[in-house]
Amino acid sequence: MNLKGLPLSSWSGALVLVLYLGLVMVSYSAYPSSFGPGNWLSDLGDKSLNPDGAVYYRLAPILAGLALMLFFVGLKDWHGGKRSKPRILMSIAQSFGVLGSFALIMTGWFSKDNPVPHLRWSIAGSYMCFGAVVLVGIALLCYTSVPKLFSIFCFLSAAVAITSATYRKAPWLEWLAVFMLMIFVASVSYLTHRHVNQGQ
């Protein structure tokens, strides 16, 4: 499925960035007090803390999560050729990614106002999404056109996200994990576009 010649992962990846970052910024602009790395990002979706902007933050993971599902489905563009091992890894990564995207959607459905399911879905989403990130990083090691540094970045991103999800002590780690996930999505969007165009 192409949109004006762009692979599915490329245009849906761009959509993830636009939807998530755009809606978060709208929610942030409505936050009535100071907001920074000392806050959890989900504070933006808490009606008691952000009465005018909570709805925008809740829409961010819901809409971006739907786009992220398409992004992971689109990784099928890396299945071509006779590279069976990376194809298997990428298929598993897609499964993890789709499940993680669903968990992300549920963090918007159950906002911080409903803390128990929100926390459970948030932790599940981190484990699943960054499990997918690791598997993509390993699979792309098999492609000479992809810099090895990118795979290292994938492993570091997963380490940050799992630490944040497991210990829940430092909100700034969550900010860093989300930032690294955005870089991952942008990078894979570009790499997939280049891969498809070069027919590797």
Side-chain angles (χ1 to χ4, degrees), residues 35-47:
F35 186 87
N39 296 91
W40 296 102
L41 287 169
S42 54
D43 288 348
L44 290 171
D46 188 328
K47 271 190 176 181

Side-chain angles (χ1 to χ4, degrees), residues 6-75:
L6 286 174
L8 176 56
S9 283
S10 297
W11 65 261
S12 59
L15 192 59
V16 169
L17 301 177
V18 170
L19 288 172
Y20 185 81
L21 297 176
L23 287 166
V24 166
M25 289 307 298
V26 172
S27 180
Y28 168 78
S29 69
Y31 200 79
S33 58
S34 61
F35 186 87
N39 296 91
W40 296 102
L41 287 169
S42 54
D43 288 348
L44 290 171
D46 188 328
K47 271 190 176 181
S48 64
L49 298 175
N50 192 16
D52 295 328
V55 64
Y56 300 106
Y57 182 81
R58 292 184 66 181
L59 282 172
I62 292 172
L63 297 180
L66 289 170
L68 192 62
M69 278 189 180
L70 294 176
F71 168 82
F72 281 112
V73 169
L75 295 181

Side-chain angles (χ1 to χ4, degrees), residues 40-111:
W40 296 102
L41 287 169
S42 54
D43 288 348
L44 290 171
D46 188 328
K47 271 190 176 181
S48 64
L49 298 175
N50 192 16
D52 295 328
V55 64
Y56 300 106
Y57 182 81
R58 292 184 66 181
L59 282 172
I62 292 172
L63 297 180
L66 289 170
L68 192 62
M69 278 189 180
L70 294 176
F71 168 82
F72 281 112
V73 169
L75 295 181
K76 63 180 176 51
D77 286 322
W78 293 88
H79 288 188
K82 298 180 180 179
R83 299 182 173 96
S84 59
K85 188 179 293 185
R87 183 167 61 246
I88 292 169
L89 287 170
M90 198 65 83
S91 296
I92 299 171
Q94 288 178 274
S95 299
F96 272 72
V98 169
L99 291 172
S101 300
F102 177 75
L104 179 62
I105 291 168
M106 297 306 290
T107 65
W109 187 262
F110 295 105
S111 67

